[in-house]
Amino acid sequence: MKQREKKVVVKTGKLKKRENMMGYLFILPWLIGFLLLVVYPICESFIYSLNTIKLLPQGMVKKFIGMGNYTQMFLKDPNFVIGLESYLLRTIISVPVIVAFALIIAMLLNGKIKCRGLFRMIFFLPVIIASGPVMNSLADQEAASIPMLNTTTISQVLSEYLPKVLATSITDVFGNMITLLWYSGIQILLFLAALQKIDTTLYEAAKIDGGSKWECFWKITLPTIKPMILLNVVYTIIFMSNNEQNELIVLIYDTMLSATGGYGYASAMAWCYSLIITLIVAAFALLIAGRKDVYERRAKKYMKEVKKQERLQKKIQRRGKRNEKRYQRKYAS
Amino acid sequence: MKNAIKENTHHDLSLQKREQMKYKLKRFIFGSKDKEGVGKQIFVYILLIAIGFIYLYPVLYMISKSFMNLNDLLDSSINWIPSSFYTNNYVQAFKAMDYWKTLKDSVIMAGVPTLINLVVCALVGYGFARYDFKGKKLLMGLLIFSFILPPQATMMPTYVFYTEIGLVNSLKAFIVPALLGQGIKSQIYILIFFNFFRQIPQVLIEAAKIDGAGHLKSFFKIAVPSAAPAILVVFLFSIVWYWNESYLTQLYVVGAFTSNADIYHWSSLIVSLKNFESSYADARAVAGSGMVDINESIKMAGTMLSILPLLIMYLILQRRFVESVDRTGITGE
């Protein structure tokens, strides 16, 4: 779609340009908000992170200490590094689990089943009620883990084959199965909407050509919903990182109000944390968007072949001309 | 005996028949390419029901626990069904949370920013979708960036900023960011509206322009009436996310860290759930011996009460909600 638009570039006239200025007017509120509530706080937060800040009755007292907060965070304070480590492990393991799970449920819901409305209602339910305090109070009651699932045996089996760090985090995943499943409400929604938009004629054509369901999934469904997978992964990472179950978030909140930490130290933590989240998002995005599927690879191969043929053709033509000249010279003399 | 002889004589025929039967059975269970087999369907249903149960488990647990009295709680033979229909827990939780006042506050706190969000995000989304101004791509990129950015990075300076201009401890702290398109997850709503308005044919708007409609008029008369599904989705998401936001509510609106007796004290159901134990103790101190000691059932009743309005709203809207999600083009291309 976009490419087709690009080919027909019509130079916009003056009237059109003036009209397009109205666009700025429409997005003006957001633009002001962005400058005032995003750009300004980010800069301010960076300044905070270079200072120690004390809240006294007469107001805020800043003292510049350079990179002191950052060195303290990584070298002296064990909490942040430990929290970061467990956060990274958990995110890397649970994001694929959530996304894969959401895809499976969306595919099941997309098929021809009875009581579709009822099932959909159940699976979207967490979107409505999964919030911090509710989840916390459920976790307190141990209602957030499946009682039939025996995690100790799983961990025993796993720890025999895997290094301990991995084994414990995988056991964690099983232990918090319900929590993880509950986090996949929105993702199911997005996948379902994407699946319903796939052209059914594609499947029919594949069926006529003798493609099995398994092949259809890998060669039609997955490539079509690839952008949606990326979106879901990004959403999951952001959601996992920003909710109140997250230890690091709790740590930042606590530091902000504690006597030893203060705004400056908490700002430094928040800065590092957001940098790390951005890095994770970028890594996942590269991993998914960078991977080419079958068609892209084939198309690329085909283009390469065509170019090679063209080059060969030119070479032959050139050689022909050269030979022609040579013959002419030979017989002319 | 006779059978055996018969089988021997018609050996080939029966073998053929058996093969045929086998094939039919196989097709019946596993299905062919055109029709799904019964076995496969049963498998899908079992999977769906099992996962659905896992999804519903915490809610069921919550409901069942909230109706138990103290004896039922201690009795290990009672797991799911309470011995009597005991509603006293709800009465107690009702008192502790000061339910009617808190409910009213919550509705206002979630409703007002949601309405503002609807208007502002629709305007901004329309601006992005309809007009081709300079730097549009860059601004869209910034929009997505501000979605990825964790709120903790900007929270502290924002809090200081709000305090300076006197927004804290009132509903203004939610209204002003919503007006500027920077409310809780406003970026998602802008993107939803952007995707939706892009699908409106430009010809329609041009026709309106020829008939003399201005920019705003064509927005209100053409874009908005056709955006009903998008409006429903944004409305539901926004109200749910504002309702479930506990930390920012506590920080900005409830004013957990400043005490000022003169102003109106806001409180939301989620925040009061978060502080349920302390508020219960307070209520108990006031009421005297009328209230029993806090136990799990009362906590669960409190949790149930705090999500009940959302549940009811969801049950009413869910059918149209799912349909709308299909049609909004949340998913982009």
Side-chain angles (χ1 to χ4, degrees):
Chain A
M1 197 63 188
K2 260 181 197 164
Q3 277 177 347
R4 211 187 302 159
E5 273 167 21
K6 255 185 197 167
K7 268 179 195 166
V8 196
V9 176
V10 182
K11 208 183 164 198
T12 44
K14 245 183 193 163
L15 190 71
K16 193 91 183 164
K17 256 185 198 163
R18 205 180 304 150
E19 200 195 296
N20 281 340
M21 292 301 280
M22 276 300 290
Y24 287 117
L25 213 63
F26 270 99
I27 64 161
L28 193 66
W30 174 78
L31 211 58
I32 296 173
F34 184 74
L35 291 178
L36 214 63
L37 297 176
V38 177
V39 175
Y40 165 74
I42 288 179
C43 300
E44 194 73 6
S45 162
F46 187 65
I47 297 171
Y48 280 9
S49 74
L50 299 177
N51 290 288
T52 48
I53 290 168
K54 290 239 156 62
L55 285 177
L56 296 176
Q58 61 263 33
M60 245 172 31
V61 180
K62 287 186 201 167
K63 207 178 101 199
F64 186 75
I65 51 162
M67 300 304 277
N69 279 326
Y70 290 93
T71 49
Q72 190 195 352
M73 181 165 53
F74 283 110
L75 300 177
K76 287 176 196 157
D77 191 359
N79 289 333
F80 186 75
V81 179
I82 291 173
L84 195 66
E85 216 172 294
S86 71
Y87 158 76
L88 278 178
L89 250 167
R90 218 187 28 231
T91 309
I92 287 168
I93 290 178
S94 51
V95 165
V97 171
I98 289 178
V99 172
F101 189 81
L103 182 58
I104 291 171
I105 289 192
M107 303 245 330
L108 287 182
L109 283 180
N110 196 36
K112 272 185 213 137
I113 48 167
K114 276 168 197 157
C115 305
R116 200 151 140 200
L118 181 75
F119 280 121
R120 278 182 172 188
M121 199 186 86
I122 292 171
F123 290 126
F124 297 158
L125 192 67
V127 180
I128 307 294
I129 53 178
S131 69
V134 173
M135 287 310 285
N136 272 338
S137 85
L138 284 175
D140 280 350
Q141 304 288 311
E142 290 170 354
S145 57
I146 310 168
M148 285 70 104
L149 212 63
N150 195 349
T151 48
T152 45
T153 42
I154 296 174
S155 81
Q156 270 172 5
V157 172
L158 281 175
S159 55
E160 274 180 31
Y161 297 103
L162 292 168
K164 206 190 166 199
V165 190
L166 261 180
T168 47
S169 29
I170 289 174
T171 326
D172 243 29
V173 167
F174 278 104
N176 296 319
M177 205 64 189
I178 289 186
T179 326
L180 284 186
L181 295 192
W182 270 39
Y183 284 162
S184 51
I186 298 254
Q187 287 87 329
I188 294 174
L189 206 81
L190 291 176
F191 271 139
L192 201 58
L195 285 176
Q196 278 175 347
K197 282 205 178 138
I198 299 178
D199 204 348
T200 43
T201 48
L202 280 178
Y203 289 109
E204 273 162 31
K207 220 197 285 177
I208 288 166
D209 284 349
S212 67
K213 284 231 161 112
W214 184 246
E215 277 173 320
C216 280
F217 171 73
W218 286 104
K219 300 207 167 150
I220 295 175
T221 315
L222 266 191
T224 327
I225 62 166
K226 204 170 90 174
M228 212 23 59
I229 295 177
L230 178 63
L231 182 73
N232 267 337
V233 166
V234 171
Y235 181 83
T236 314
I237 295 170
I238 292 168
F239 184 80
M240 296 274 300
S241 315
N242 292 352
N243 72 37
E244 285 160 47
Q245 246 78 36
N246 195 313
E247 298 158 32
L248 278 175
I249 297 286
V250 176
L251 183 69
I252 291 173
Y253 284 152
D254 289 347
T255 319
M256 184 175 152
L257 299 169
S258 76
T260 51
Y263 280 22
Y265 190 40
S267 287
M269 276 184 179
W271 252 83
C272 269
Y273 186 51
S274 25
L275 210 66
I276 286 161
I277 292 174
T278 319
L279 281 181
I280 295 176
V281 168
F284 269 102
L286 272 182
L287 202 71
I288 293 166
R291 275 274 289 280
K292 293 208 169 79
D293 52 54
V294 188
Y295 303 106
E296 279 171 288
R297 244 179 288 152
R298 266 193 206 160
K300 211 176 171 187
K301 212 173 171 186
Y302 176 73
M303 289 308 287
K304 237 184 195 171
E305 198 72 12
V306 167
K307 268 188 186 159
K308 208 173 165 188
Q309 289 289 338
E310 268 175 18
R311 239 180 295 146
L312 209 71
Q313 212 83 42
K314 270 185 189 166
K315 212 172 167 185
I316 290 169
Q317 271 178 4
R318 262 200 315 257
R319 196 173 288 163
K321 267 183 194 166
R322 214 162 41 209
N323 283 351
E324 214 175 315
K325 271 183 192 168
R326 207 177 284 163
Y327 274 116
Q328 274 175 0
R329 238 181 287 152
K330 205 174 180 184
Y331 287 104
S333 59
Chain B
M1 201 56 188
K2 256 183 189 173
N3 270 340
I5 295 165
K6 234 182 191 173
E7 229 169 62
N8 267 333
T9 48
H10 302 285
H11 188 258
D12 285 349
L13 209 80
S14 72
L15 201 73
Q16 220 176 2
K17 242 184 193 168
R18 219 185 292 161
E19 283 293 307
Q20 226 168 23
M21 281 296 287
K22 237 186 202 169
Y23 175 70
K24 264 188 187 164
L25 197 72
K26 208 173 156 188
R27 211 174 57 179
F28 184 65
I29 291 175
F30 294 106
S32 63
K33 264 183 190 160
D34 306 312
K35 217 181 134 206
E36 289 213 332
V38 173
K40 220 171 175 181
Q41 266 184 344
I42 289 172
F43 176 70
V44 166
Y45 278 111
I46 287 175
L47 207 64
L48 272 178
I49 289 168
I51 297 170
F53 175 71
I54 294 175
Y55 264 77
L56 278 182
Y57 175 75
V59 179
L60 293 176
Y61 181 89
M62 200 155 61
I63 294 170
S64 118
K65 267 275 143 64
S66 66
F67 281 113
M68 286 182 185
N69 59 28
L70 201 58
N71 291 333
D72 287 355
L73 264 184
L74 297 174
D75 191 345
S76 60
S77 64
I78 292 175
N79 251 339
W80 281 98
I81 301 161
S83 61
S84 62
F85 192 70
Y86 182 75
T87 52
N88 205 18
N89 295 324
Y90 281 95
V91 178
Q92 311 268 0
F94 216 81
K95 268 188 218 154
M97 291 170 105
D98 196 2
Y99 195 71
W100 291 122
K101 187 221 164 219
T102 321
L103 179 68
K104 193 194 81 200
D105 279 6
S106 291
V107 170
I108 294 174
M109 244 194 258
V112 174
T114 296
L115 291 180
I116 296 171
N117 248 340
L118 270 178
V119 176
V120 174
C121 293
L123 273 173
V124 175
Y126 182 75
F128 273 124
R130 161 90 169 74
Y131 299 102
D132 251 338
F133 43 87
K134 248 184 198 170
K136 183 172 149 184
K137 286 219 168 112
L138 178 76
L139 287 175
M140 290 290 287
L142 286 177
L143 180 74
I144 292 166
F145 166 74
S146 66
F147 169 56
I148 292 177
L149 193 80
Q152 290 73 38
T154 60
M155 201 177 62
M156 281 151 269
T158 314
Y159 183 66
V160 174
F161 183 57
Y162 283 0
T163 325
E164 273 170 15
I165 57 174
L167 293 181
V168 177
N169 291 353
S170 68
L171 200 56
K172 276 183 252 163
F174 271 178
I175 290 177
V176 172
L179 268 177
L180 295 176
Q182 298 290 342
I184 298 170
K185 301 195 187 179
S186 278
Q187 300 91 357
I188 297 184
Y189 315 137
I190 292 178
L191 285 177
I192 289 176
F193 274 120
F194 168 71
N195 260 328
F196 194 83
F197 286 141
R198 217 173 34 171
Q199 292 167 359
I200 294 178
Q202 283 276 348
V203 192
L204 216 63
I205 292 165
E206 269 162 27
K209 211 169 84 185
I210 288 167
D211 285 351
H215 295 278
L216 271 178
K217 199 166 189 185
S218 60
F219 169 70
F220 280 114
K221 287 270 147 90
I222 294 174
V224 171
S226 61
I231 290 174
L232 183 69
V233 167
V234 169
F235 172 77
L236 201 70
F237 274 153
S238 172
I239 225 168
V240 163
W241 276 328
Y242 267 106
W243 187 284
N244 283 341
E245 180 58 54
S246 63
Y247 195 83
L248 292 181
T249 315
Q250 214 170 2
L251 190 67
Y252 294 150
V253 182
V254 179
F257 307 117
T258 47
S259 49
N260 191 345
D262 305 330
I263 50 168
Y264 181 71
H265 270 286
W266 292 91
S267 59
S268 80
L269 283 174
I270 289 294
V271 171
S272 67
L273 175 68
K274 206 173 173 186
N275 309 323
F276 191 68
E277 275 176 50
S278 66
S279 63
Y280 188 84
D282 289 348
R284 197 173 168 231
V286 174
S289 58
M291 291 165 89
V292 291
D293 232 357
I294 191 164
N295 59 35
E296 290 163 24
S297 298
I298 295 175
K299 267 194 228 164
M300 282 291 122
T303 314
M304 198 64 210
L305 277 177
S306 71
I307 58 172
L308 199 63
L310 282 184
L311 272 182
I312 292 169
M313 189 183 72
Y314 177 61
L315 288 184
I316 295 170
L317 286 180
Q318 58 94 11
R319 178 155 296 183
R320 307 207 27 208
F321 170 64
V322 173
E323 272 172 21
S324 308
V325 168
D326 291 348
R327 280 194 291 157
T328 20
I330 271 188
T331 53
E333 278 141 321

